[in-house]
Amino acid sequence: MALRLPPPAASAANITSKNRGRFAGRIDIRAAANQKVEHDRSREVYTSRPRKSPSPLGTAEEMASRLGHDIAVANLERLFRQQTAGGDRPPADGGSSGRPVRVAYQGSRGSYCQEAAARAFPSSACEAFPCAHMEDAFAVLEDHSADRAVVPAENSLDGPIDRNLDLLLRHPGVRILGELVLPVNHCLLSLPGAPRSGLRRVISHPQALSHCRRSLEALDLEVDEVCSAAEAAQFVAENRVADTAVIGSKMAAREFGLWVLEPDFQDQHLGGNFNRFLQLGLPSHAQGLSSSSSTSGRRSEQKTTVAFTLEDGASDLFRAMWIFESRGVKVLRVDHRPNRTKPLRVVERGGDGLETATYLDYVFVLDLVGSASDPAVEAALAQMTEIAGFVRVLGSYVSTCHPGIN
C-alpha cells in the first residue's frame, strides 16, 4: 500500500477524477490485498480553500506501510487456517449442508457493496468476504469458493458500471439471480469524540464527492479525493486522524468504529439517488439458496436480462423491440457493449458488392418484465433467433427495491 502526498506548501486545489495527479493534497491509499477499480466517469470540479498546515496524513508513510504488512499477514493467517482445516474452501453446495452461505462482494470492508450484501443476506448464517478486483467476484463463483456474489451495477445519477456488464458477457456460466435497489446514504464520518470545529478537510471517492457538492461547499473545508472511501475510513480510524472526515457508508462506521456526524450528507436530488446491485451465482446453485432479507417495506417484481447481437446492427434494434412489444413484454432498460468476439461488421453498399462499409459491432442488453419461462417472454426470445447472431439469457430473477431505507 502506498500513501502519497505532495509537499505541504500548496495553493487552492481543483479536484477532478480525470486529472488525479494535479490537485493539492491528493491521498492515494492502495492496499495490495484490497485494490479498487476506478469508476471511469467525468466528475464535477471542486475548489478548496488554501491549506493552512500540512495534514497528519502527510507523515504517515510508515504507518501506511505497517498497515499493508498487517493486512498481508492477516490474509496469510486466514489461508493457513483454511489449509489446516482441510485445504481450500470446499465446493459450494447451495447451503444444503447447513454451513454458512458464502457471499463475495466487490470492494473493501466498509464499502457500499458490503452494505448491499448485508442487506441481501442479513442472516448470521452468512459468511461475507471482499474481492479486491472486479474479476475476482466472478472467479470465486466459478471455482466454487462462493455461493453468491454481490456486485454494483448502476447509480441513478452516474449511470451503469459497464465493467460488470462486460464481465457478465465474458463469464457465460454466471447468472443474475437477484437485483437489489437501495437509496444512497452518504455519511460524514469522523473519529469518535473529535470536535467538528477541529475538522480541516473531507476526503472520499470522486463519485461520493460529486454527490455531496452543495453539502461540501457549506462546510467550507478542504476537499480531497481518494481511490477508496472505505479504505480511507479505515486509515483515519486506525491512525487516529482527528482533523479529517470521510464521506462513506454506515457500514464503514460500524466496521472501523467511526462516528456518523451527519447521515444523508448527499445533495437532495429530485427523485432521489439510488444504487442498483446484482446478486450473481451459478445456475446449479440457483435453487434453494436466495437472499433472506425480509419483504417488509419492499417492492418486488420478476425480471429477465437478455443479451444479443443483431445481424444488421443497430438499424435492426426496432425489430427486436417490436418482437417484445407485440407480445406485451415490457422493456425496462436498453444498453449496449462492444462485441469483443466480432468487433467489426462489414456491410455491402450497392448491388454489385464491390463497395463496402465497415462499422463497429455491438452486443445489446435488455431488461424485461417477467421470467424467461413466461410464455410471452419465451416466444419472444424464440423469435429473436431469426434476426440475432446469438441470444443469451443472463438471468431471470426477482428485483427488489427499498425506496426509503437508509
Side-chain angles (χ1 to χ4, degrees), residues 212-228:
C212 305
R213 180 176 60 86
R214 294 182 182 86
S215 299
L216 287 169
E217 289 174 351
L219 286 183
D220 193 27
L221 298 174
E222 296 175 5
V223 177
D224 289 338
E225 67 173 23
V226 294
C227 64
S228 168

Side-chain angles (χ1 to χ4, degrees), residues 329-374:
V329 178
K330 186 176 182 180
V331 177
L332 299 176
R333 189 176 68 93
V334 181
D335 209 337
H336 72 280
R337 298 303 300 147
N339 185 356
R340 297 191 177 195
T341 59
K342 185 184 175 184
L344 296 179
R345 186 170 56 86
V346 179
V347 179
E348 292 186 0
R349 285 183 172 179
D352 54 12
L354 299 178
E355 186 179 357
T356 62
T358 302
Y359 305 99
L360 292 177
D361 200 24
Y362 301 97
V363 177
F364 297 94
V365 182
L366 268 60
D367 285 352
L368 313 170
V369 172
S371 169
S373 60
D374 292 347

Side-chain angles (χ1 to χ4, degrees), residues 12 21 44 49 57 70 73 78 88 108 117 208 256 274 284 293 314 322 339 390-391 402:
E44 298 183 62
R49 67 184 184 185
L57 289 179
D70 291 343
V73 170
R78 176 177 55 81
D88 294 332
S108 312
F256 309 122
F274 297 88
S284 58
S293 54
W322 173 247
N339 185 356
F390 83 91
V391 179
H402 293 267

Side-chain angles (χ1 to χ4, degrees), residues 191-223:
L191 282 181
R196 189 160 183 165
S197 59
L199 293 177
R200 295 185 178 181
R201 66 173 174 178
V202 180
I203 60 176
S204 193
H205 186 277
Q207 187 178 36
L209 295 177
S210 71
H211 292 174
C212 305
R213 180 176 60 86
R214 294 182 182 86
S215 299
L216 287 169
E217 289 174 351
L219 286 183
D220 193 27
L221 298 174
E222 296 175 5
V223 177

Side-chain angles (χ1 to χ4, degrees), residues 13-24 26 38 40-45 206 225:
N14 286 329
I15 314 295
T16 67
S17 61
K18 283 188 174 181
N19 195 9
R20 300 180 63 82
R22 296 183 182 177
F23 67 88
R26 177 189 178 202
E38 287 297 325
D40 186 20
R41 293 210 165 267
S42 299
R43 303 295 176 201
E44 298 183 62
V45 176
E225 67 173 23

Side-chain angles (χ1 to χ4, degrees), residues 22 29 44 96 110 146 162 165 206 247 268 293 303 309 317 326 389:
R22 296 183 182 177
I29 302 172
E44 298 183 62
S96 60
D162 296 330
L165 192 54
I247 298 174
Q268 299 304 312
S293 54
K303 291 175 63 175
T309 58
L317 188 57
S326 63

Side-chain angles (χ1 to χ4, degrees), residues 298-336:
R298 305 187 310 174
R299 293 200 299 264
S300 302
E301 67 177 348
Q302 190 78 19
K303 291 175 63 175
T304 293
T305 298
V306 57
F308 56 87
T309 58
L310 293 170
E311 294 180 352
D312 291 334
S315 62
D316 249 4
L317 188 57
F318 81 98
R319 295 178 62 188
M321 300 293 285
W322 173 247
I323 287 175
F324 295 108
E325 177 66 24
S326 63
R327 288 169 171 78
V329 178
K330 186 176 182 180
V331 177
L332 299 176
R333 189 176 68 93
V334 181
D335 209 337
H336 72 280

Side-chain angles (χ1 to χ4, degrees), residues 19-55:
N19 195 9
R20 300 180 63 82
R22 296 183 182 177
F23 67 88
R26 177 189 178 202
I27 306 170
D28 192 359
I29 302 172
R30 287 187 175 91
N34 207 350
Q35 191 177 44
K36 293 285 287 182
V37 177
E38 287 297 325
H39 185 249
D40 186 20
R41 293 210 165 267
S42 299
R43 303 295 176 201
E44 298 183 62
V45 176
Y46 300 91
T47 302
S48 64
R49 67 184 184 185
R51 301 181 180 280
K52 295 182 179 180
S53 63
S55 165

